[in-house]
Amino acid sequence: MQHRPLQHWLMKSEPGVFGIEHLQNMPEQRDHWDGIRNYQARNFMRDQMSLGDPIFFYHSNCPQPGVTGTMEVVRTAYPDFTAWDPTSHYFDPKSSPQNPRWVMVDVQFRSRFKRVVRLQEMKACPELADMRLLQRGNRLSILPVTPKQWVFILNLAA
DNA sequence: GCCAACGTTGGC
DNA sequence: GCCAACGTTGGC
């Protein structure tokens, strides 16, 4: 049952670590979004992400940063078990199964844009001036997107 | 590789 | 609770 309008999101990932093609190649084209170690980003997942929420897949820290496609929330927040694995890059000794500190969601691939909607391009659009992604000094890896911004970027990609 | 802009940690 | 030191993100 849908009790609220869909909230749109943008999630960043480094394509060299996990790019959109990695998600496309996963079984059923879905995966858990692990490794979020920032409280604000965690709270977005924990408190505000719902089943079916649409998400932009953003490639960061690469030659052409930008939005590359879309995905969707298919499982809401649950403990990020990579925090409990001492061999994991994302290990956090302060998190435990009894008292998990970090959460993740599961996402499913929806579409891949014919071309990357580059950061540089979005910065040049007055329609996107209020986008949180474009605000000064922003480093959050999970960000809300307004419905208008969502549609505008989809149109850029088309 | 540089570095601005943040977030986190921990001594006090 | 302050804040200096340190770590990280991510564009360039």
Side-chain angles (χ1 to χ4, degrees), chain A residues 35-86:
Chain A
I36 299 298
R37 297 292 179 269
N38 170 285
Y39 289 106
Q40 223 181 323
R42 178 203 67 181
N43 293 347
F44 278 142
M45 288 196 289
R46 189 190 60 190
D47 305 332
Q48 296 188 41
M49 273 195 191
S50 297
L51 277 185
D53 277 1
I55 311 164
F56 280 140
F57 198 124
Y58 180 91
H59 281 180
S60 67
N61 202 11
C62 58
Q64 267 204 359
V67 180
T68 59
T70 66
M71 50 190 175
E72 185 178 311
V73 177
V74 290
R75 182 178 174 188
T76 54
Y78 62 105
D80 182 341
F81 47 76
T82 64
W84 310 330
D85 175 4

Side-chain angles (χ1 to χ4, degrees), chain A residues 119-135:
Chain A
L119 175 65
Q120 172 195 326
E121 182 181 353
M122 293 188 283
K123 278 182 178 172
C125 293
E127 295 88 345
L128 299 177
D130 291 336
M131 239 190 135
R132 291 199 52 177
L133 174 73
L134 306 181
Q135 302 313 305

Side-chain angles (χ1 to χ4, degrees), chain A residues 8 54-57 67-71 110-115 117 121-122 128 131 145-158:
Chain A
H8 301 74
I55 311 164
F56 280 140
F57 198 124
V67 180
T68 59
T70 66
M71 50 190 175
R110 280 291 173 253
S111 70
R112 184 163 187 181
F113 294 164
K114 289 180 196 137
R115 63 182 192 87
V117 176
E121 182 181 353
M122 293 188 283
L128 299 177
M131 239 190 135
V145 174
T146 69
K148 280 184 183 178
Q149 292 160 357
W150 178 270
V151 170
F152 188 83
I153 288 170
L154 282 186
N155 285 333
L156 283 183

